[in-house]
Amino acid sequence: MSSGQRDAGVSNPAHVAIIMDGNGRWAQMRGLPRQEGHRRGLEALRRTVRNASDLGIAVLTLYSFSTENWRRPHAEVSFLMGLLKHFVEKDLAELSAANVQVRIIGSRLDLAPDLRRLVEHAETRTRGNTGLILAIAFNYGSRDEIVRAARQLAADAAAGRIDPAAIDDAALTARLDTHDLPDPELVIRTSGETRISNFLLWQAAYAEFVFTPVMWPDFDRAAFEDALAQYRQRERRFGGVAAPPDRSVDVA
Ligand code: FPP
C-alpha cells in the first residue's frame, strides 16, 4: 500500500463530484413552480463553486443536465438550457477573474449551435487558468460517454492505430470526456436519494459516497463541510486491506 493510500481519509478530496438533486421538491414544498427551484439551484451552484475554491478543492464536477433529462417537459428542458446559457454569459468574467477553469463534459452534438459555441468559448477563455477546475456535466450520461469512448477505440483499432490486444483501462480512460481529470474521491448526492443515476460510473469506481437529505437549493457551506468531514472519516482501501497498526513502538 502506498503512503498516499495510508494517508487517505485525512485530507480533503482533490476531486468532488455532486449530483445536485431536489430543486423540484424544494420548490414544490414552498408552493413554487419547479423553475424557481432550478433558479435557486443555480444560486447554490454559484455558492458551491466559491466554497470549493475556498476549501482548496482542485476539481468540482456538477451534474447539471443528464442524457435522461430530455424526457422532462419541453418547457423545463428549455428552461435548463437557458439557465446554462445565462450562467455562462453572466458569470464567465467573474469565474475567469477567480482563476476558475471551466469545462463542459457530456455530448455536445444535441446542443443548439449557439449554446455549443458559448460553452466552447467559456472553455477557451479559461483554459490558462490554474485555480479550481469546474466541470459542468451537461447532456451527460456515463453510459453514453463510455459508448462514445468504445466507438473511438473501435475506430482506432479498425484504422490500425491501436492493437485490440493493447486495449486496457488507460486506453478507455484516455477517450472519456474526463480524460485529463483525476477520478473523483468523493461523490455527494443531495435530496436524500441514494442512486448514482448514470453519473461518472467508470470514474467513481473507488469514490466515497455521501448522501445528504439537504435539497440542492439549500446546499450551503455547512452542508459541504459536513460531507467533507464524513469523507475524511472514511477508510479508503482501494480493494486492499486496512493498513496494519504501526508496530515500531512495540519493538523492544
Ligand atoms: C435535479 O433536481 C436538478 C436538475 C436536473 C438540474 C440541476 C440544475 C441546477 C442545479 C441549476 C443550474 C443549472 C445549470 C444548467 C447551470 P430535480 O429537478 O430532479 O428535483 P426533484 O427530484 O426534486 O424533482
Side-chain angles (χ1 to χ4, degrees), residues 20-26 34 38 41-42 45 63-64 69 72 76 80 83-84 87 138 216:
M20 308 181 290
D21 197 10
N23 292 348
R25 276 162 289 164
W26 182 94
R34 289 178 60 81
H38 293 316
L42 179 58
L45 182 154
Y63 205 5
S64 301
N69 284 155
R72 294 189 176 206
E76 185 168 343
L80 288 167
L83 215 51
L84 176 65
F87 171 62
F138 200 88
W216 176 250

Side-chain angles (χ1 to χ4, degrees), residues 95-227:
L95 289 166
S96 195
N99 203 19
V100 173
Q101 193 185 124
V102 178
R103 306 278 188 89
I104 310 292
I105 60 167
S107 177
R108 294 179 190 199
L109 293 178
D110 310 313
L111 302 185
D114 64 329
L115 188 54
R116 214 181 313 162
R117 276 194 297 275
L118 192 64
V119 301
E120 279 162 10
H121 168 66
E123 289 182 327
T124 311
R125 173 153 176 200
T126 61
R127 187 164 291 152
N129 289 350
T130 54
L132 175 77
I133 296 177
L134 170 63
I136 304 267
F138 200 88
N139 194 25
Y140 177 85
S142 202
R143 287 185 174 184
D144 172 70
E145 181 190 31
I146 293 168
V147 165
R148 285 187 283 112
R151 234 180 252 144
Q152 262 187 49
L153 277 173
D156 288 344
R161 288 188 291 266
I162 190 167
D163 174 357
I167 294 174
D168 58 5
D169 180 324
L172 195 126
T173 299
R175 288 161 179 82
L176 295 174
D177 298 344
T178 52
H179 58 93
D180 55 352
L181 299 177
D183 284 345
E185 293 101 334
L186 171 63
V187 177
I188 302 170
R189 183 170 188 149
T190 58
S191 89
E193 302 293 343
T194 52
R195 292 182 296 279
I196 190 163
S197 299
N198 202 13
F199 185 49
L200 302 177
L201 300 179
W202 176 275
Q203 298 88 337
Y206 291 100
E208 296 292 330
F209 286 79
V210 169
F211 299 103
T212 168
V214 173
M215 296 291 161
W216 176 250
D218 291 331
F219 192 79
D220 57 8
R221 173 81 172 222
F224 200 172
E225 289 196 16
D226 180 61

